[in-house]
């Protein structure tokens, strides 16, 4: 299941990158190539930090709850579910955004890198992609932390006949 999730995110990222690269070429032909914002990698890094902090906090609280530590603060099921939804949404959106910045960055690297402004834009795009990978990794970690334990003891479903 996890491999399928990673492949899906990678596919979204690559598709967005190819479309962004083609779109950047088209827009550059009309001299209207939009710039990569300086804040893009910063915002993505902040999202990665928030996801990682949430995952580490929930992991510690779940561990304390499992070990029955006195006074341990439990984890509300709705909060854990919201954290998983936040992680999934972040991973999907950031895969799309990272692909877009990656495609624009590749286009900038392949065309007119002699200009200082293009070099800066390529750098910002590369940093945004790196921060996006961090967001995806933190989101997958948060999903893993909130995953329900599998029930290995019950191989037979309820009501099934047991072999004698």
């Amino acid at each position: 299941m996890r491999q399928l999730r990673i492949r899906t995110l990678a596919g979204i990222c690559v598709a967005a990158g190819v479309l962004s690269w083609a779109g950047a070429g088209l827009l550059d032909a009309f001299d209207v190539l939009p710039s990569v914002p300086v804040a893009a990698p910063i915002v993505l890094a902040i999202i990665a930090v928030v996801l990682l902090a949430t995952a580490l906090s929930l992991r510690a609280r779940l561990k304390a709850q499992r070990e029955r530590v006195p006074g341990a603060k439990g984890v509300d099921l709705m909060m854990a579910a919201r954290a998983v939804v936040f992680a999934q949404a972040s991973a999907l959106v950031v895969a799309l955004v990272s692909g877009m910045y990656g495609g624009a960055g590749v286009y900038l690297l392949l065309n007119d890198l002699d200009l200082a402004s293009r070099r800066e834009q390529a750098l910002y795009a590369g940093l945004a992609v790196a921060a996006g990978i961090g967001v995806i990794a933190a989101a997958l970690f948060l999903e893993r932390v909130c995953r329900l334990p599998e029930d290995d003891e019950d191989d037979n479903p309820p009501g099934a006949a047991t072999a004698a």
Side-chain angles (χ1 to χ4, degrees):
M1 179 73 172
R2 186 178 176 122
Q3 291 295 330
L4 178 65
R5 179 103 170 105
I6 292 172
R7 285 186 196 149
T8 303
L9 293 172
I12 290 169
C13 192
V14 168
V18 169
L19 290 173
S20 177
W21 174 76
L26 181 65
L27 292 172
D28 193 32
F30 294 111
D31 292 327
V32 291
L33 184 64
S35 63
V36 177
V38 178
I42 297 168
V43 170
L44 291 173
I46 290 170
I47 294 170
V49 168
V50 168
L51 284 167
L52 185 62
T54 303
L56 293 175
S57 172
L58 284 174
R59 185 175 71 165
R61 289 172 58 187
L62 286 169
K63 181 180 178 186
Q65 192 174 359
R66 269 193 313 271
E67 295 174 356
R68 301 190 193 280
V69 174
K73 187 175 178 182
V75 176
D76 180 37
L77 294 178
M78 283 305 293
M79 186 188 78
R82 287 183 186 118
V84 169
V85 170
F86 174 54
Q88 290 175 343
S90 296
L92 287 171
V93 170
V94 170
L96 182 66
V97 169
S98 293
M100 290 172 49
Y101 285 136
V106 168
Y107 179 81
L108 290 168
L109 285 174
L110 296 176
N111 297 301
D112 293 334
L113 202 55
D114 297 336
L115 301 171
S117 63
R118 293 264 177 137
R119 278 194 305 272
E120 287 178 7
Q121 293 298 303
L123 175 66
Y124 298 151
L127 290 174
V129 170
I133 291 170
V135 170
I136 292 170
L140 290 173
F141 179 60
L142 179 56
E143 287 181 35
R144 180 171 169 74
V145 165
C146 293
R147 188 181 67 205
L148 293 173
E150 297 199 18
D151 191 14
D152 293 332
E153 298 173 7
D154 189 19
D155 291 334
N156 296 326
T162 57

